[in-house]
Amino acid sequence: MSEVAGPGHSPARVLLIEQDPRTAMLIGEMLRAGWTQSLIISHASRVTEASQELRDHGATCVLLDISDDADSLNALEHLAAANPSVPIIVLSSRAGEEFGLTAVKAGAQDFLRTAELNPGALARSISYALERKRSEVELAHQALHDPLTELPNRALFSDRLSVALDRARRTGAPVAVLFLDVDSFKYINDSHGHQAGDQLLTVLAERFREMLRPMDTVARFGGDEFTFLFEELESEREAILIADRISQSARQPVILGSDEGETTVQVSIGISIVTDPSVTPDSVIRDADVAMYRAKELGGDRFELYDETARVRASRRLDLENALRRAVDHSELRVHYQPRVSLSGETGLIGFEALVRWEHPDRGLIPAEEFVELAEDTGLIVPIGEWVLEQALGHIARWRQSRPGVTISVNLSARQLESPGLAAHLDAAVRAIGADPGVLCLEVTEDAVEHNPELAFRTLTALRAIGVKLALDDFGIGHSSIAGLRDLPLDSVNIDRSFVSTLGSDPEGAAVVGALVELGHALGLSVVAEGVETDEQLARVRDLGCDGAQGYLFSRPLPVDGVHALLGPT
Ligand code: C2E
Ligand code: MG
Ligand code: MG
């Protein structure tokens, strides 16, 4: 490679690719004759050599002679890839506008026939190619950048992320994407005007750009959303530290408009750390977006990591929800009945508690504990609860023929408690089985009451008015005040299993259960101990004054057949 420098400062650097040394010399002469400013000409005889030169040192312009090799149009591609901002002029001995057009389509900025070369034509062509390249680069820049902040736009961000993921697949180095959204941006726009909003975005963009390493990317994703791409992070912790620095820098005061004084903004950031680089760029961005939403939900001005386990949990829950809907339609639900015994006087059966079960085709019998909350959240508890009530009333009507005194307890959800027609509906249902409403005891938890205390209070009062008995379930673990309890129209309380289970092992346990019994009695209520599993627990709850008990010691919840076996022939 030979180099000849002309006089003057920041000379134009022309890279000539020409196999024939004599032609190269000739063209060099013409260049120096035609180009009036200072000039450096480098000469390469092969494309590979020239590509390296372009990569290492760049050039003002490339002159590529492809006269000798008709296939060498793909040389253009190599050169363009080596340095996309350098214009290329193709020289060829082949005649025809058509070939020239092909060359331009393949990436050249101009085309000259070797036979027509002269100093003036060469100089003109270089000026033309420079201008053309400049506007091409400008257009490409516009297509990939946000005009307001000059940051890369969404398209460029996705592209860089996709390249980063490719790299991560090869090197295993982790990639992190941060998704940032300005809190209350709409407020800024509404109160200070759109110009102030734009100004804020520009200031933020500038701050973000300044704090990043050259290899990192910050993009304006849209509106008040910015995305960040980090490669080769040391650890998850590093991503968190960066997120923290970013939100701190966003929090620095800004002056918007001319005389409005300082404003501060806060941002919410979602972080997605890619552990599996085979994912798509879109899914990484979506995960970070989801995490950002979570940060917003939690009140904003914070960052959240995208949590894969949370996603898995959510999707399992969705599966379960769909399965539960099917269960309702396909009659996979059952009601089991747990006997309840009296402790005052002679120990004997006084009733049953109806407990819903799900007979899952694959998983077997699922206890209420594992799906009632989901049913509650999805509203499925309403049809389920109605069905359980209907079943329970049907069964108790039958059982009372052999055991006239037994009652049935049914659990009521918060949603049912808030449905206005419940009392009237139950009144009709109890009458339909020809029973006294007092055979039915409805159990509500403190939580269900607390959900909407006024509405609950009204429903409970209406239920009481028709003669249905009412029990407070999970007594002791809720947050009701004693005054609140006193106001509720109740007949009994069920001391929660968690207190009963401490009897025998924990000396304070007896004191707590004793206090709960006393409180219940002081409120004029009868007290049932739940979850009695041992003889010792039974002895204690009896000594402490409980009126009734329920638990595995007496019986597990039984299917209908089991109850029939227990009751004997009817
Ligand atoms: P709960 O009303 O307090 O019911 C007692 C729970 O304790 C039942 O669990 C029962 O199987 C269990 N259990 C009873 N004795 C013992 C014992 O000695 N040891 C132990 N370890 N556990 C015992 P289950 O059936 O899983 O029900 C859980 C909760 O789900 C119930 O608590 C109730 O709040 C709710 N639930 C059950 N069926 C229904 C229903 O039909 N509708 C509504 N809304 N909620 C229901
Ligand atoms: Mg209960
Ligand atoms: Mg209970």
Side-chain angles (χ1 to χ4, degrees):
M1 192 174 288
S2 61
E3 231 177 49
V4 188
H9 297 292
S10 65
R13 300 180 51 240
V14 175
L15 173 59
L16 173 63
I17 305 163
E18 172 61 67
Q19 276 187 346
D20 176 26
R22 266 184 310 166
T23 314
M25 216 138 75
L26 199 71
I27 293 174
E29 289 307 321
M30 284 195 220
L31 267 173
R32 268 185 284 274
W35 194 258
T36 51
Q37 290 135 40
S38 63
L39 184 70
I40 297 174
I41 302 171
S42 323
H43 171 225
S45 48
R46 277 207 305 270
V47 172
T48 43
E49 189 187 346
S51 298
Q52 194 57 50
E53 165 77 9
L54 272 182
R55 254 192 295 274
D56 294 346
H57 305 293
T60 310
C61 180
V62 169
L63 291 180
L64 169 66
D65 187 348
I66 51 177
S67 300
D68 312 306
D69 183 357
D71 288 335
S72 57
L73 270 184
N74 59 13
L76 266 174
E77 265 173 48
H78 273 100
L79 294 167
N83 197 329
S85 60
V86 179
I88 302 170
I89 298 165
V90 165
L91 310 175
S92 172
S93 55
R94 300 159 116 228
E97 279 299 308
E98 216 171 299
F99 180 76
L101 271 176
T102 315
V104 168
K105 276 194 191 133
Q109 274 62 47
D110 201 9
F111 165 75
L112 287 171
R113 263 187 291 268
T114 338
E116 294 165 5
L117 274 186
N118 64 57
L122 255 181
R124 258 197 314 282
S125 176
I126 291 176
S127 304
Y128 173 77
L130 279 172
E131 180 50 32
R132 186 162 172 166
K133 188 73 196 182
R134 201 194 57 73
S135 66
E136 277 177 22
V137 167
E138 169 77 23
L139 274 178
H141 180 89
Q142 278 172 17
L144 296 172
H145 289 77
D146 163 51
L148 176 68
T149 60
E150 285 291 317
L151 291 182
N153 63 12
R154 181 192 290 235
L156 182 54
F157 186 81
S158 295
D159 192 58
R160 292 213 181 143
L161 176 55
S162 147
V163 172
L165 290 173
D166 277 343
R167 214 175 353 243
R169 271 191 281 277
R170 290 193 307 272
T171 63
V175 169
V177 166
L178 270 57
F179 199 110
L180 177 150
D181 189 286
V182 180
D183 296 344
S184 316
F185 183 69
K186 192 177 166 328
Y187 168 78
I188 305 253
N189 259 341
D190 291 348
S191 60
H192 300 257
H194 283 267
Q195 257 185 337
D198 284 357
Q199 200 188 339
L200 172 67
L201 295 173
T202 317
V203 170
L204 289 179
E206 195 46 46
R207 287 183 193 165
F208 296 156
R209 196 175 6 226
E210 271 171 16
M211 55 189 292
L212 299 190
R213 305 171 297 179
M215 60 191 294
D216 304 328
T217 298
V218 52
R220 179 164 178 222
F221 203 69
D224 59 340
E225 298 165 342
F226 294 88
T227 46
F228 299 76
L229 168 63
F230 300 102
E231 289 182 72
E232 291 167 34
L233 289 184
E234 294 288 311
S235 62
E236 188 175 293
R237 211 180 99 78
E238 204 182 336
I240 291 171
L241 290 176
I242 293 176
D244 193 40
R245 269 178 36 226
I246 291 173
S247 49
Q248 274 177 31
S249 95
R251 231 181 275 131
Q252 299 303 310
V254 262
I255 294 169
L256 300 176
S258 44
D259 52 2
E260 306 219 25
E262 284 184 348
T263 305
T264 49
V265 292
Q266 296 168 342
V267 296
S268 297
I269 300 177
I271 307 171
S272 167
I273 294 171
V274 181
T275 43
D276 166 17
S278 66
V279 293
T280 63
D282 278 353
S283 77
V284 179
I285 295 170
R286 197 185 49 228
D287 292 351
D289 190 14
V290 166
M292 184 280 288
Y293 256 93
R294 174 125 188 86
K296 287 251 186 231
E297 269 174 10
L298 292 169
D301 189 23
R302 58 186 294 146
F303 50 85
E304 284 291 312
L305 265 169
Y306 178 75
D307 180 355
E308 178 65 12
T309 52
R311 194 190 61 75
V312 170
R313 229 182 294 133
S315 94
R316 282 220 190 102
R317 212 177 131 85
L318 194 66
D319 290 347
L320 190 67
E321 180 186 332
N322 290 329
L324 185 58
R325 277 181 207 286
R326 274 198 306 275
V328 173
D329 295 341
H330 294 154
S331 319
E332 288 169 15
L333 298 182
R334 309 278 174 264
V335 184
H336 284 195
Y337 297 91
Q338 188 174 36
R340 183 170 289 173
V341 300
S342 160
L343 296 183
S344 44
E346 214 170 302
T347 306
L349 180 74
I350 49 172
F352 296 94
E353 178 175 11
L355 295 162
V356 68
R357 297 287 177 266
W358 175 3
E359 206 169 292
H360 193 281
D362 308 323
R363 290 170 55 190
L365 202 66
I366 305 177
E369 207 172 40
E370 290 178 32
F371 67 91
V372 160
E373 197 189 308
L374 178 71
E376 178 88 27
D377 291 350
T378 53
L380 279 168
I381 195 69
V382 174
I384 292 176
E386 276 173 17
W387 179 80
V388 171
L389 263 166
E390 198 181 290
Q391 295 288 307
L393 286 174
H395 285 128
I396 199 65
R398 188 168 156 198
W399 299 335
R400 277 172 72 88
Q401 288 168 8
S402 59
R403 299 285 179 102
V406 292
T407 59
I408 186 80
S409 296
V410 178
N411 295 283
L412 214 57
S413 74
R415 292 230 195 192
Q416 286 173 291
L417 200 53
E418 288 165 16
S419 77
L422 184 69
H425 171 77
L426 276 178
D427 194 26
V430 177
R431 280 174 206 286
I433 61 162
D436 177 79
V439 303
L440 177 64
C441 175
L442 295 174
E443 301 192 348
V444 295
T445 62
E446 282 179 49
D447 282 353
V449 174
E450 286 305 310
H451 189 252
N452 187 340
E454 277 168 45
L455 200 52
F457 182 80
R458 245 181 296 157
T459 312
L460 292 176
T461 309
L463 288 168
R464 194 65 178 308
I466 62 166
V468 169
K469 297 270 186 287
L470 299 172
L472 188 71
D473 216 344
D474 306 351
F475 182 49
I477 60 173
H479 300 96
S480 309
S481 66
I482 293 172
L485 285 178
R486 197 184 48 199
D487 291 341
L488 287 176
L490 296 172
D491 298 282
S492 56
V493 289
N494 299 339
I495 295 181
D496 194 68
R497 191 171 79 219
S498 56
F499 299 107
V500 175
S501 68
T502 61
L503 292 175
S505 54
D506 173 1
E508 277 172 14
V512 173
V513 173
L516 288 172
V517 175
E518 268 176 49
L519 176 57
H521 284 163
L523 294 169
L525 308 172
S526 96
V527 178
V528 175
E530 285 199 332
V532 176
E533 293 182 350
T534 65
D535 287 319
E536 184 176 9
Q537 287 166 357
L538 172 60
R540 291 293 173 92
V541 297
R542 195 197 296 269
D543 288 350
L544 291 168
C546 286
D547 306 288
Q550 190 179 334
Y552 292 171
L553 178 66
F554 310 103
S555 169
R556 290 191 172 245
L558 301 168
V560 174
D561 288 350
V563 176
H564 290 167
L566 180 83
L567 295 180
T570 48

Short mmCIF file of all heavy atoms in Angstrom, two decimals, residues 319-343:
data_model
loop_
_atom_site.label_atom_id
_atom_site.label_comp_id
_atom_site.label_asym_id
_atom_site.label_seq_id
_atom_site.Cartn_x
_atom_site.Cartn_y
_atom_site.Cartn_z
N ASP A 319 -54.13 -21.42 35.16
CA ASP A 319 -54.48 -22.80 34.82
C ASP A 319 -55.49 -23.34 35.82
O ASP A 319 -56.49 -23.96 35.46
CB ASP A 319 -53.24 -23.70 34.86
CG ASP A 319 -52.30 -23.39 33.71
OD1 ASP A 319 -52.74 -22.67 32.79
OD2 ASP A 319 -51.15 -23.84 33.74
N LEU A 320 -55.20 -23.08 37.11
CA LEU A 320 -56.07 -23.59 38.17
C LEU A 320 -57.46 -22.97 38.06
O LEU A 320 -58.48 -23.64 38.22
CB LEU A 320 -55.44 -23.27 39.53
CG LEU A 320 -56.11 -23.93 40.73
CD1 LEU A 320 -55.89 -25.43 40.69
CD2 LEU A 320 -55.55 -23.37 42.04
N GLU A 321 -57.46 -21.69 37.72
CA GLU A 321 -58.74 -20.99 37.59
C GLU A 321 -59.59 -21.61 36.48
O GLU A 321 -60.78 -21.90 36.67
CB GLU A 321 -58.49 -19.51 37.30
CG GLU A 321 -59.76 -18.72 37.16
CD GLU A 321 -59.50 -17.29 36.73
OE1 GLU A 321 -58.41 -16.76 37.04
OE2 GLU A 321 -60.37 -16.71 36.08
N ASN A 322 -58.93 -21.88 35.33
CA ASN A 322 -59.66 -22.49 34.23
C ASN A 322 -60.17 -23.87 34.60
O ASN A 322 -61.29 -24.25 34.27
CB ASN A 322 -58.78 -22.56 32.98
CG ASN A 322 -58.54 -21.18 32.41
OD1 ASN A 322 -59.40 -20.30 32.53
ND2 ASN A 322 -57.38 -20.97 31.81
N ALA A 323 -59.29 -24.60 35.31
CA ALA A 323 -59.67 -25.95 35.72
C ALA A 323 -60.85 -25.90 36.70
O ALA A 323 -61.75 -26.73 36.65
CB ALA A 323 -58.47 -26.65 36.37
N LEU A 324 -60.83 -24.89 37.57
CA LEU A 324 -61.91 -24.78 38.56
C LEU A 324 -63.25 -24.44 37.87
O LEU A 324 -64.29 -24.96 38.24
CB LEU A 324 -61.54 -23.72 39.60
CG LEU A 324 -62.52 -23.56 40.78
CD1 LEU A 324 -62.69 -24.87 41.53
CD2 LEU A 324 -62.01 -22.48 41.74
N ARG A 325 -63.16 -23.61 36.83
CA ARG A 325 -64.38 -23.31 36.07
C ARG A 325 -64.95 -24.59 35.47
O ARG A 325 -66.15 -24.84 35.50
CB ARG A 325 -64.08 -22.34 34.93
CG ARG A 325 -64.06 -20.92 35.37
CD ARG A 325 -63.77 -19.97 34.19
NE ARG A 325 -63.14 -18.78 34.71
CZ ARG A 325 -63.80 -17.84 35.37
NH1 ARG A 325 -65.09 -17.95 35.57
NH2 ARG A 325 -63.16 -16.79 35.85
N ARG A 326 -64.04 -25.39 34.91
CA ARG A 326 -64.49 -26.66 34.32
C ARG A 326 -65.08 -27.56 35.39
O ARG A 326 -66.07 -28.24 35.17
CB ARG A 326 -63.30 -27.37 33.65
CG ARG A 326 -63.05 -26.93 32.23
CD ARG A 326 -62.19 -27.96 31.51
NE ARG A 326 -60.96 -28.24 32.23
CZ ARG A 326 -59.85 -27.52 32.13
NH1 ARG A 326 -59.83 -26.48 31.33
NH2 ARG A 326 -58.78 -27.85 32.81
N ALA A 327 -64.42 -27.53 36.57
CA ALA A 327 -64.88 -28.39 37.68
C ALA A 327 -66.32 -28.07 38.04
O ALA A 327 -67.13 -28.96 38.29
CB ALA A 327 -63.97 -28.20 38.88
N VAL A 328 -66.64 -26.76 38.04
CA VAL A 328 -68.00 -26.36 38.39
C VAL A 328 -68.97 -26.90 37.33
O VAL A 328 -70.00 -27.48 37.65
CB VAL A 328 -68.10 -24.82 38.51
CG1 VAL A 328 -69.54 -24.39 38.70
CG2 VAL A 328 -67.22 -24.32 39.64
N ASP A 329 -68.57 -26.74 36.04
CA ASP A 329 -69.44 -27.20 34.96
C ASP A 329 -69.58 -28.72 34.92
O ASP A 329 -70.61 -29.25 34.55
CB ASP A 329 -68.90 -26.72 33.60
CG ASP A 329 -68.96 -25.21 33.50
OD1 ASP A 329 -69.72 -24.61 34.29
OD2 ASP A 329 -68.25 -24.65 32.65
N HIS A 330 -68.48 -29.41 35.24
CA HIS A 330 -68.48 -30.87 35.09
C HIS A 330 -68.78 -31.60 36.39
O HIS A 330 -68.44 -32.78 36.53
CB HIS A 330 -67.13 -31.35 34.53
CG HIS A 330 -66.89 -30.88 33.13
ND1 HIS A 330 -65.64 -30.72 32.60
CD2 HIS A 330 -67.76 -30.52 32.16
CE1 HIS A 330 -65.74 -30.27 31.36
NE2 HIS A 330 -67.02 -30.15 31.06
N SER A 331 -69.33 -30.89 37.34
CA SER A 331 -69.72 -31.50 38.62
C SER A 331 -68.58 -32.26 39.28
O SER A 331 -68.75 -33.41 39.67
CB SER A 331 -70.90 -32.45 38.44
OG SER A 331 -71.84 -31.90 37.56
N GLU A 332 -67.42 -31.63 39.36
CA GLU A 332 -66.30 -32.29 40.06
C GLU A 332 -66.26 -31.90 41.53
O GLU A 332 -65.37 -32.33 42.25
CB GLU A 332 -64.97 -31.92 39.39
CG GLU A 332 -64.79 -32.58 38.03
CD GLU A 332 -63.60 -32.01 37.25
OE1 GLU A 332 -62.76 -31.32 37.86
OE2 GLU A 332 -63.54 -32.25 36.03
N LEU A 333 -67.18 -31.04 41.95
CA LEU A 333 -67.16 -30.62 43.35
C LEU A 333 -67.98 -31.59 44.21
O LEU A 333 -68.95 -32.18 43.73
CB LEU A 333 -67.71 -29.20 43.48
CG LEU A 333 -66.90 -28.13 42.74
CD1 LEU A 333 -67.49 -26.74 42.97
CD2 LEU A 333 -65.43 -28.15 43.18
N ARG A 334 -67.55 -31.73 45.45
CA ARG A 334 -68.26 -32.58 46.42
C ARG A 334 -68.39 -31.81 47.71
O ARG A 334 -67.62 -30.88 47.96
CB ARG A 334 -67.43 -33.85 46.73
CG ARG A 334 -66.93 -34.62 45.53
CD ARG A 334 -68.03 -35.54 44.98
NE ARG A 334 -67.58 -36.17 43.74
CZ ARG A 334 -67.87 -35.72 42.51
NH1 ARG A 334 -68.57 -34.60 42.36
NH2 ARG A 334 -67.44 -36.34 41.44
N VAL A 335 -69.34 -32.22 48.53
CA VAL A 335 -69.41 -31.65 49.87
C VAL A 335 -69.10 -32.76 50.86
O VAL A 335 -69.69 -33.84 50.78
CB VAL A 335 -70.79 -31.04 50.18
CG1 VAL A 335 -70.75 -30.37 51.56
CG2 VAL A 335 -71.17 -30.01 49.12
N HIS A 336 -68.13 -32.50 51.74
CA HIS A 336 -67.85 -33.43 52.83
C HIS A 336 -68.37 -32.81 54.12
O HIS A 336 -68.53 -31.60 54.22
CB HIS A 336 -66.37 -33.75 52.91
CG HIS A 336 -65.92 -34.70 51.83
ND1 HIS A 336 -64.73 -35.38 51.86
CD2 HIS A 336 -66.55 -35.10 50.69
CE1 HIS A 336 -64.63 -36.16 50.79
NE2 HIS A 336 -65.72 -36.01 50.06
N TYR A 337 -68.63 -33.69 55.09
CA TYR A 337 -69.25 -33.21 56.33
C TYR A 337 -68.42 -33.64 57.53
O TYR A 337 -68.12 -34.82 57.68
CB TYR A 337 -70.67 -33.78 56.43
CG TYR A 337 -71.56 -33.29 55.30
CD1 TYR A 337 -71.67 -34.01 54.12
CD2 TYR A 337 -72.26 -32.09 55.42
CE1 TYR A 337 -72.46 -33.56 53.06
CE2 TYR A 337 -73.06 -31.63 54.38
CZ TYR A 337 -73.15 -32.37 53.20
OH TYR A 337 -73.93 -31.90 52.16
N GLN A 338 -68.05 -32.66 58.33
CA GLN A 338 -67.27 -33.00 59.53
C GLN A 338 -68.18 -32.91 60.77
O GLN A 338 -68.78 -31.86 61.02
CB GLN A 338 -66.08 -32.06 59.69
CG GLN A 338 -65.17 -32.54 60.83
CD GLN A 338 -63.89 -31.72 60.93
OE1 GLN A 338 -63.91 -30.51 60.70
NE2 GLN A 338 -62.80 -32.39 61.29
N PRO A 339 -68.26 -34.01 61.51
CA PRO A 339 -69.11 -34.01 62.70
C PRO A 339 -68.64 -32.99 63.74
O PRO A 339 -67.44 -32.71 63.86
CB PRO A 339 -68.95 -35.43 63.26
CG PRO A 339 -68.48 -36.25 62.10
CD PRO A 339 -67.64 -35.32 61.26
N ARG A 340 -69.59 -32.46 64.47
CA ARG A 340 -69.29 -31.55 65.56
C ARG A 340 -69.96 -32.13 66.81
O ARG A 340 -71.10 -32.60 66.72
CB ARG A 340 -69.85 -30.17 65.25
CG ARG A 340 -69.55 -29.12 66.28
CD ARG A 340 -69.93 -27.75 65.77
NE ARG A 340 -69.03 -27.30 64.71
CZ ARG A 340 -69.22 -26.19 64.00
NH1 ARG A 340 -70.29 -25.44 64.21
NH2 ARG A 340 -68.36 -25.83 63.08
N VAL A 341 -69.23 -32.11 67.93
CA VAL A 341 -69.79 -32.74 69.14
C VAL A 341 -70.01 -31.72 70.24
O VAL A 341 -69.38 -30.66 70.26
CB VAL A 341 -68.87 -33.88 69.66
CG1 VAL A 341 -68.68 -34.96 68.62
CG2 VAL A 341 -67.53 -33.32 70.10
N SER A 342 -70.90 -32.09 71.14
CA SER A 342 -71.18 -31.24 72.28
C SER A 342 -70.23 -31.61 73.41
O SER A 342 -69.91 -32.79 73.61
CB SER A 342 -72.64 -31.44 72.72
OG SER A 342 -72.79 -31.00 74.05
N LEU A 343 -69.75 -30.63 74.16
CA LEU A 343 -68.88 -30.92 75.31
C LEU A 343 -69.58 -30.66 76.63
O LEU A 343 -69.15 -31.10 77.68
CB LEU A 343 -67.61 -30.05 75.24
CG LEU A 343 -66.67 -30.29 74.07
CD1 LEU A 343 -65.45 -29.41 74.18
CD2 LEU A 343 -66.27 -31.75 73.96
#
